[in-house]
Amino acid sequence: MRLDGQPGEVIHRGTPLTFTWNGRPYPAFAGDTIGSALAAAGERVFSRSLKYHRPRGLLTADGNDPGCLVQVDGEPNVRGAHRRVSAGMAVTAQGVWPSLRFDLKALNRLAGPALSTGFYYKTFIRPRRLWPYYERVLRRFSPGGRVPSPSSPAGRYEHRYAHPDVLVAGGGPAGMAAALAAAEAGARVMLVDDQPALGGHLRWGGPDGLAALAQLRAAVAAAGGIEVLTDSVVTGQYEGGLVAVVQHGLPGLTERLVKARPRQLVAAAGLIERPYVIAGNDLPGVMLSTAVRRLINLYAVRPGARAVVFTANDDGTAAAADLARAGVDVRRVVDARDGGDIVRVRGRGGVRAVECGDGSVVRCDLLVTAVGWTAPTGLLTMTGGRAAYRAGAARFVPTELPDGVLATGGLVGDGTLAELIGHGRAVGQAAARRAGRTAPASPVPDLVPAPHPELFAGRTNGFVDFTEDVSTKDLAAAVAEGYDSIELVKRYTTATMGPTQGKLEAVNTIAVVAAATGRGIPETGTTTARPPYAPVSLGALAGRNYQPVRRSPMHDWHVAHGATPLVAGAWIRPDHYGDPAGEVRAVRQGVGIIDVTPLGKFELRGPHIPDLLELLYVNRWRKLAVGAVRYGVMCTEDGVVFDDGVTGRLGEHRYLLTATSSGAEAVGEWLERWLQTERAHWRVHVVPMTDAYASINVAGPRSRELVRRLTTGIDLSPEAFPYMRVRLGEVAGVPDCVVWRIGFTGELSYELHVPAGNGLRVWEALLATGVDLGVRPFGVEAQRILRLEKGHLVVGQDTDGLTQAYSAGLDWAIKMDKDDFVGKPELAWQRVRDGQVVLVGLQPADPELVPPESSQLVEGDRRIVGRITSSRFSPTLDRSIALGFVAPDLAEPGTVVTMLLPDGRRLPARVMPQLAHVDPEGKRLHG
Amino acid sequence: MAEVSVEVSATDCTDLAKVLVRADPGGALAAALDVPFGRAVRDGNDALVVRTAPDAWLLLAAADLATPLVRRVEALGAGEFASVVDVTHGHALARLTGTTAAVVLAKLCAIDLADPATPDGNTFRSLVAGVAVTVVRDDARPGRLTAGSAGATPAGGRDARPGRLTVSPTASLASLDRSDALGSAGATPAGGRDAERERSYLLLCDRSYRQYLRDVLTDAGEEFGLAWT
Amino acid sequence: MVLLPCPHCGPRDAAEFGYVGERAARPDPGAATPQQWRGYLYLRRNPAGWADELWLHRAGCGRYLAMSRHTVTGDIRAVRDAATGGAD
């Protein structure tokens, strides 16, 4: 029921809203949470529990409430007592069938013994063949909401980095005081609180607190250096001091993850109230004192009609006063400090009566408990701090904190408002000093937890973990079965493993286990706290999911001309333009151009270049003349082929080194590694130029004519410009181009390296000028076919992580008479070893059959003798062709080997006399 | 709906001349360039000299100044082992300017951008949206390098709108002496009110990431109405 | 998350770096036996303690760094540019 205006209420009566709950419309005010609006309307049951499907209502009326997890529109597992209502919101209960009120899954309670703790280790296991059926049934009964369908609109999640001097986790009075003091000293402060507004318990603690609250809020707003993040939670501190904060409630954003590196972290997380463990303690109508004070003071909701209050501290007494003020009939106040106790709560579907320790039974619809406080030390222990149990205060408190972490407020101890603020100020000053600012060095006063009786579980068995439906009986059973350490009990019973992650139930669990094992609470200890402290959505962790993409200067042209994209690492390349076979024919018969910009390119400068090349390549380089180009093979120290490419000498101390596109980054790092770590005295500079040149390969019998038409300053006649030479000149009016004659495709071809800003111009000029020559663009697929027809290996395709150079048929390149080159020792040993596989050309007997790459080559039933590394249909030969590895005894040309296809067929293929299938003498290349 | 005010803008400056210099940190060329690691300084000849590594510098200048710049530096480095390479085409360059430029960049980059850590004139290389980017904080006006050539006529002098300034031959770069370019380190108002000042950052990445960088800046700047000029 | 102290750039997020491997002295390739050479290629101390490692500040200054790092605690007691010669 809604009360009249309360001094600290956060609802805006001038802004009424409507939302639906299980399909029916309900009224609310702006500022209401789902839980408070429904409570105002008299609703008491919001969910059904995990295992037994018991009806549950509000217990804490805040973000930790275990009874109020609901589905909101498409979003599952929303904390209904924390999420504010918005107009038109559709809220439904989770995990119930057919409805919240008549949940047939509650029949689970009849299966009680079969669902006792650890049941999934004991039941529904045999017979094994029935498990798929068990699984289907059990899935129906699993809790949680429904995941949104893939077609529902995605949220927007962002990341942000922040570097405050001081990050204060918690915006209650101590936290605000700490932030203010730090900001006064000139520190950059970030103040985080999970509520929509700062204030902590001052917000609902009564009119005295409200006046102080207004002052503190005004001071924070006026202070220059405090960034306030409300509706936000510090979810953990990670290695290196990284603190994660998840921000909600931002316009246009679903959530934002702030990755902060504060110099100092101040934990001011306050206190969390504990429930009392007795029979019936999960009935709708059982609430904590803080719950009723929030409902009354923040949301103007009367939580019940007739109440019993069980208290062990002054906060419970204050709650009783608030209840009376709100018109609740407080029928009995049982005070534990006077020896009072309550035994059980009676009712079905809701509280009907409370049985007290003296035997009396009081009829009521609301039981309010105030039996103690838990300091949320999880964040502190995540940072490496420690906490210890103080029996006199019935609470764990922080004891040691690492450098960079401080604590203040209720988390540390109790005091008057002035004492809390004084402590916060002193801690804030200390934080500012440690962060390098100048602040008064006032000593931090003591803040000691107040004495409090130890009240965890009463005389009857009750629920310890509400979200996981774990009771004292379950804990006792676990201990009896031998799971008597707290870490084992947690995992076996799942206590503290639910959405509240121990905030409400850890201490009660420890106390019950301690009693069951006969050890004390300190000896029982706590489980390890790990991030995240509060639930985090996967979206928040993912952020905008930026994926780097690399594009050549001709990218848009390829897209506009119908290229099918090929993702190669971060690059997008044109795979083909609709007809790869036609592209192959164009190159063999006329001329084609391909964008090979991703090719690795490195400008080398310096007198020691030949030394570097001789060291890292297997070939010789000292006699390479200016204007000459050589193909090189690079191995790693184990003799395995690492990369290949051509290098040309452009000037006395200037070379252009190329590497494969996929190996470009690795080769760049390899070059630098040797120069920096092993040969720092060599005078060589390596300048990456992969992106600086747009690279175009012009290939085909008419390529010379086409290139001649566009170049200036280069004599293209075969005598002046033979195969494997490089020239500098102007192409299509673009100066500083590198042109060399190489031959990956096996045809007469020229590779143009054009300053990238002019790449498109040259590309389009080639196409425009070569129309009469039949010029066509060709893509990566056609290039693959062309090079395969010529038997040119691709490192990483026709070689693998074990292929040493002699296996790849690269004997001719390896110059063993060099003093030292990377891979030499292993290659020397490989050369004299037997049994090396050999790379050969293969042609399947059936010319129409294109064997899938990686098909094995076999002999009989037991021996794998090789595999197909590259395989395509050749438009030039009109039949299938391949490259592959075979055992040396089968490598003789003419040998028939058996291919084992993935579909199980065994089909023959013939070993060819050379790797090249087309023009084996290479006549076309040298034309 | 209220009009979104433009608190940040971006300009593509990829055409600017870029010259990479590699030389011994203890040599004469290093002494002549005279910029410590992590700083960027205007030299007296229309170039922004960015010290990117202990033994590397990147010089930025108006688009048509690449060749004279290479010649000038080669001359300074004659007599020692030094490499001067025109890398104008190898990198994309974007300038991000506005009162919220640092806020936008802080969504993409983990480096502390506040004045004490990254004052005007500082440079660093780090990851921006997963790509290695050299960032130069270059608030300096007038004469702020954007696109265009040294020979272009100035776009109306000291224009208040970011991204509209070009380098003009008459721009008084000489008046922008070294101490100015070293930034206002130490002059930060206590507590970080620096958010209200306009800041400008140059972002340099490998050219192939040009479109990607544009896309991520646009996405991160959407909140503040980022416009490309 | 973890910060690594680049001697040139200062402390930077580990994502900027590449771990190259445990540093090992390269034997004389002309004199090493196959066992010695393969020990250099494949065998590492792999201690639960202080390790000599080679890192690359890939997305930063691009320099190779020699780091003495404790593999259990993550502490780093020394880091230098790998080019500044000398045995350690």
Side-chain angles (χ1 to χ4, degrees):
Chain A
M1 207 204 103
R2 191 77 76 176
L3 301 166
D4 289 338
Q6 302 295 307
E9 70 183 23
V10 299
I11 52 172
H12 305 285
R13 296 178 193 255
T15 313
L17 309 166
T18 315
F19 69 107
T20 64
W21 167 236
N22 293 329
R24 287 181 48 205
Y26 281 79
F29 292 117
D32 258 323
T33 63
I34 296 168
S36 67
L38 290 173
E43 295 295 336
R44 304 203 101 198
V45 177
F46 301 106
S47 68
R48 291 276 181 159
S49 69
L50 178 93
K51 264 198 295 192
Y52 304 115
H53 285 255
R54 293 167 66 88
R56 294 281 170 81
L58 291 177
L59 175 70
T60 69
D62 73 353
N64 295 324
D65 201 306
C68 201
L69 283 170
V70 294
Q71 178 105 11
V72 174
D73 298 316
E75 194 185 341
N77 305 326
V78 175
R79 294 171 290 161
H82 180 77
R83 176 70 61 92
R84 275 173 292 168
V85 178
S86 58
M89 190 183 250
V91 187
T92 52
Q94 295 190 150
V96 297
W97 183 80
S99 74
L100 180 61
R101 193 166 303 177
F102 300 110
D103 185 17
L104 286 180
K105 298 186 204 175
L107 291 175
N108 274 1
R109 69 176 184 280
L110 300 176
L115 296 177
S116 65
T117 202
F119 76 90
Y120 22 81
Y121 299 116
K122 303 172 191 157
T123 54
F124 307 116
I125 293 174
R126 287 202 227 306
R128 282 196 196 281
R129 61 184 161 77
L130 283 186
W131 223 99
Y133 301 105
Y134 291 144
E135 197 183 22
R136 248 185 272 158
V137 169
L138 289 172
R139 181 167 292 147
R140 286 268 170 81
F141 285 76
S142 67
R146 290 181 314 280
V147 173
S149 76
S151 55
S152 45
R156 186 182 169 100
Y157 299 86
E158 281 188 358
H159 285 181
R160 182 196 142 194
Y161 295 90
H163 303 85
D165 292 318
V166 179
L167 194 154
V168 181
M176 284 194 282
L180 284 166
E184 275 164 35
R188 281 181 285 166
V189 181
M190 183 174 275
L191 176 58
V192 181
D193 193 276
D194 69 345
Q195 294 299 304
L198 296 172
H201 66 271
L202 291 182
R203 299 166 68 224
W204 43 262
D208 298 334
L210 290 175
L213 174 57
Q215 269 188 332
L216 284 166
R217 279 182 180 163
V220 168
I226 305 180
E227 185 182 359
V228 177
L229 273 56
T230 47
D231 269 321
S232 305
V233 185
V234 174
T235 59
Q237 193 201 58
Y238 298 84
E239 223 181 328
L242 184 74
V243 175
V245 180
V246 179
Q247 251 184 306
H248 312 274
L250 296 160
L253 270 188
T254 311
E255 284 174 358
R256 176 181 287 152
L257 174 65
V258 180
K259 301 188 200 179
R261 284 201 192 271
R263 295 189 190 203
Q264 293 291 315
L265 175 65
V266 175
L271 291 166
I272 296 177
E273 192 171 24
R274 272 197 301 273
Y276 193 47
V277 183
I278 50 170
N281 69 337
D282 72 323
L283 286 169
V286 176
M287 296 194 197
L288 307 184
S289 72
T290 48
V292 300
R293 298 186 78 190
R294 285 192 184 99
L295 285 171
I296 293 168
N297 295 314
L298 291 177
Y299 305 108
V301 173
R302 187 197 297 160
R306 289 166 307 176
V308 168
V309 177
F310 177 51
T311 181
N313 54 53
D314 292 338
D315 298 280
T317 316
D322 282 353
L323 286 166
R325 202 169 37 78
V328 176
D329 175 15
V330 180
R331 309 202 68 215
R332 178 86 64 91
V333 176
V334 180
D335 200 320
R337 294 168 286 187
D338 301 329
D341 190 17
I342 54 172
V343 176
R344 86 176 70 240
V345 187
R346 291 194 191 164
R348 254 186 57 167
V351 174
R352 298 271 168 80
V354 171
E355 197 183 302
C356 301
D358 60 2
S360 59
V361 174
V362 183
R363 296 174 68 78
C364 60
D365 65 353
L366 175 65
L367 167 64
V368 179
T369 66
V371 301
W373 303 95
T374 296
T377 52
L379 179 61
L380 292 175
T381 53
M382 277 180 218
T383 67
R386 293 175 179 279
Y389 183 67
R390 297 274 178 266
R395 195 195 297 178
F396 281 85
V397 295
T399 50
E400 293 161 39
L401 293 177
D403 289 340
V405 183
L406 294 156
T408 185
L411 179 58
V412 174
D414 301 313
T416 61
L417 180 57
E419 285 168 339
L420 291 172
I421 290 173
H423 190 271
R425 278 195 66 77
V427 167
Q429 287 166 349
R433 276 198 313 277
R434 292 187 192 186
R437 303 286 172 180
T438 317
S442 15
V444 177
D446 284 332
L447 201 64
V448 178
H452 196 289
E454 288 180 291
L455 279 173
F456 306 110
R459 302 180 219 171
T460 51
N461 286 311
F463 281 94
V464 177
D465 187 326
F466 295 82
T467 55
E468 298 291 298
D469 263 354
V470 177
S471 70
T472 41
K473 269 196 288 189
D474 295 321
L475 295 176
V479 170
E481 290 184 45
Y483 298 97
D484 57 355
S485 89
I486 193 66
E487 293 278 9
L488 287 177
V489 169
K490 163 189 158 184
R491 285 160 178 79
Y492 190 60
T493 65
T494 76
T496 78
M497 290 177 74
T500 43
Q501 288 284 295
K503 294 177 189 62
L504 292 180
E505 62 276 358
V507 176
N508 284 343
T509 304
I510 295 165
V512 169
V513 170
T517 56
R519 303 179 193 135
I521 289 177
E523 198 191 325
T524 304
T526 59
T527 55
T528 309
R530 297 186 179 91
Y533 176 77
V536 183
S537 67
L538 291 176
L541 297 174
R544 295 299 289 152
N545 201 24
Y546 296 127
Q547 302 268 31
V549 179
R550 299 178 80 168
R551 299 173 170 91
S552 97
M554 289 81 86
H555 174 86
D556 290 345
W557 190 96
H558 301 315
V559 172
H561 288 79
T564 298
L566 171 72
V567 176
W571 289 94
I572 302 179
R573 309 191 62 182
D575 201 28
H576 59 82
Y577 301 84
D579 178 18
E583 292 165 24
V584 170
R585 279 189 282 271
V587 171
R588 292 268 179 246
Q589 292 158 19
V591 57
I593 63 172
I594 179 172
D595 179 354
V596 291
T597 300
L599 196 70
K601 285 149 269 180
F602 299 90
E603 169 107 4
L604 304 180
R605 299 280 185 93
H608 283 113
I609 295 173
D611 300 280
L612 180 68
L613 298 175
E614 295 250 323
L615 177 66
L616 297 184
Y617 283 103
V618 303
N619 344 42
R620 264 196 282 271
W621 295 89
R622 292 202 188 283
K623 301 231 180 78
L624 191 72
V626 175
V629 181
R630 183 161 298 161
Y631 169 75
V633 175
M634 235 184 228
C635 292
T636 41
E637 298 253 55
D638 52 5
V640 171
V641 179
F642 169 40
D643 204 85
D644 68 350
V646 297
T647 293
R649 187 171 187 182
L650 309 181
E652 196 197 344
H653 295 315
R654 183 184 173 210
Y655 291 61
L656 182 65
L657 183 158
T658 69
T660 63
S661 9
S662 47
E665 301 294 315
V667 168
E669 290 179 8
W670 186 242
L671 292 166
E672 281 298 326
R673 180 174 166 182
W674 281 91
L675 288 174
Q676 289 184 32
T677 66
E678 295 282 346
R679 300 287 187 270
H681 56 287
W682 277 2
R683 298 172 140 202
V684 185
H685 289 142
V686 177
V687 180
M689 300 291 272
T690 302
D691 288 15
Y693 287 116
S695 304
I696 302 169
N697 200 293
V698 184
R702 297 186 199 142
S703 58
R704 175 180 289 127
E705 175 54 24
L706 180 54
V707 174
R708 189 198 58 74
R709 290 178 188 182
L710 286 171
T711 51
T712 316
I714 303 178
D715 182 349
L716 282 169
S717 65
E719 306 76 34
F721 199 157
Y723 181 56
M724 296 302 269
R725 294 289 187 272
V726 60
R727 301 287 179 259
L728 301 172
E730 212 175 82
V731 179
V734 177
D736 302 322
C737 293
V738 176
V739 178
W740 55 33
R741 252 190 86 179
I742 55 170
F744 193 44
T745 56
E747 294 299 320
L748 175 67
S749 67
Y750 297 83
E751 196 161 84
L752 314 176
H753 301 290
V754 175
N758 298 302
L760 181 62
R761 181 162 128 202
V762 171
W763 177 267
E764 289 181 320
L766 286 163
L767 291 168
T769 312
V771 172
D772 63 309
L773 302 171
V775 67
R776 270 176 82 158
F778 67 101
V780 177
E781 177 59 15
Q783 187 189 52
R784 291 257 167 85
I785 297 171
L786 288 161
R787 67 92 199 174
L788 180 60
E789 289 178 340
K790 290 303 297 179
H792 290 143
L793 65 81
V794 170
V795 174
Q797 172 93 20
D798 306 297
T799 72
D800 61 26
L802 295 176
T803 309
Q804 292 175 311
Y806 282 106
S807 303
L810 294 166
D811 313 38
W812 57 270
I814 304 168
K815 302 302 179 222
M816 293 301 286
D817 53 347
K818 289 200 290 182
D819 272 339
D820 178 22
F821 63 89
V822 175
K824 180 178 176 184
E826 283 290 349
L827 289 174
W829 297 324
Q830 185 192 22
R831 194 163 59 160
V832 300
R833 263 204 315 273
D834 289 324
Q836 306 294 296
V837 290
V838 181
L839 186 68
V840 297
L842 293 159
Q843 288 186 2
D846 174 2
E848 298 294 318
L849 173 77
V850 181
E853 289 173 346
S854 297
S855 297
Q856 301 289 333
L857 301 176
V858 297
E859 185 183 65
D861 267 337
R862 296 208 171 270
R863 195 176 161 218
I864 296 175
V865 297
R867 80 168 184 283
I868 307 274
T869 58
S870 292
S871 171
R872 287 293 192 281
F873 188 84
S874 162
T876 307
L877 299 173
D878 200 26
R879 56 116 60 242
S880 53
I881 53 171
L883 281 177
F885 281 109
V886 287
D889 56 311
L890 294 169
E892 271 302 302
T895 310
V896 176
V897 293
T898 305
M899 303 178 294
L900 175 59
L901 269 52
D903 60 14
R905 287 182 292 163
R906 289 159 189 267
L907 295 166
R910 183 181 305 276
V911 176
M912 304 304 291
Q914 61 279 315
L915 296 174
H917 300 271
V918 169
D919 181 28
E921 293 91 56
K923 293 207 200 83
R924 304 169 72 88
L925 197 50
H926 292 265
Chain B
M1 181 149 153
E3 234 181 67
V4 178
S5 67
V6 177
E7 299 151 280
V8 63
S9 68
T11 310
D12 184 295
C13 306
T14 296
D15 291 341
L16 283 176
K18 308 169 203 73
V19 175
L20 177 72
V21 180
R22 297 281 305 276
D24 184 333
L29 178 51
L33 292 173
D34 193 21
V35 180
F37 175 60
R39 296 288 297 165
V41 174
R42 289 245 173 350
D43 74 356
N45 289 281
D46 298 349
L48 183 64
V49 182
V50 184
R51 181 79 175 271
T52 52
D55 64 346
W57 295 254
L58 187 71
L59 278 62
L60 304 175
D64 52 0
L65 291 181
T67 309
L69 195 49
V70 169
R71 299 274 167 271
R72 181 155 62 80
V73 180
E74 277 175 341
L76 286 172
E80 68 183 89
F81 174 51
S83 299
V84 184
V85 182
D86 183 351
V87 294
T88 298
H89 293 267
H91 302 281
L93 194 53
R95 181 182 278 281
L96 184 69
T97 305
T99 52
T100 58
V103 181
V104 172
L105 194 51
K107 294 188 189 184
L108 310 171
C109 179
I111 301 293
D112 187 355
L113 299 170
D115 280 336
T118 308
D120 192 18
N122 260 33
T123 181
F124 62 83
R125 183 165 182 262
S126 182
L127 292 170
V128 171
V131 169
V133 172
T134 298
V135 178
V136 182
R137 175 141 174 221
D138 184 44
D139 294 351
R141 313 166 71 197
R144 184 190 279 161
L145 279 171
T146 55
S149 65
T153 45
R158 196 168 179 160
D159 197 307
R161 266 203 284 152
R164 291 286 295 270
L165 290 173
T166 55
V167 176
S168 86
T170 59
S172 52
L173 281 171
S175 70
L176 198 71
D177 64 33
R178 296 291 179 79
S179 57
D180 210 48
L182 284 170
S184 52
T188 324
R193 280 215 182 272
D194 47 22
E196 288 147 19
R197 263 200 359 252
E198 185 184 270
R199 294 152 169 233
S200 191
Y201 298 91
L202 285 167
L203 299 156
L204 180 118
C205 65
D206 284 348
R207 193 195 189 97
S208 59
Y209 292 105
R210 183 181 187 180
Q211 183 62 46
Y212 171 75
L213 185 65
R214 186 182 179 111
D215 292 340
V216 300
L217 287 173
T218 304
D219 185 82
E222 192 184 302
E223 182 187 349
F224 303 105
L226 183 145
W228 283 85
T229 59
Chain C
M1 291 196 247
V2 171
L3 290 173
L4 296 173
C6 174
H8 304 295
C9 308
R12 292 287 187 91
D13 195 286
E16 296 185 17
F17 297 80
Y19 172 71
V20 181
E22 202 179 296
R23 284 165 50 225
R26 186 173 190 255
D28 178 356
T33 63
Q35 283 76 11
Q36 287 168 331
W37 190 254
R38 281 154 193 172
Y40 160 65
L41 288 181
Y42 304 116
L43 298 180
R44 292 291 178 268
R45 287 195 316 119
N46 195 26
W50 293 107
D52 291 320
E53 301 178 335
L54 186 65
W55 289 77
L56 168 62
H57 194 184
R58 181 178 285 137
C61 56
R63 301 296 299 175
Y64 279 86
L65 307 172
M67 203 182 288
S68 181
R69 194 180 70 93
H70 200 278
T71 58
V72 176
T73 63
D75 292 339
I76 294 165
R77 67 178 172 190
V79 62
R80 61 172 173 80
D81 190 297
T84 57
D88 37 54

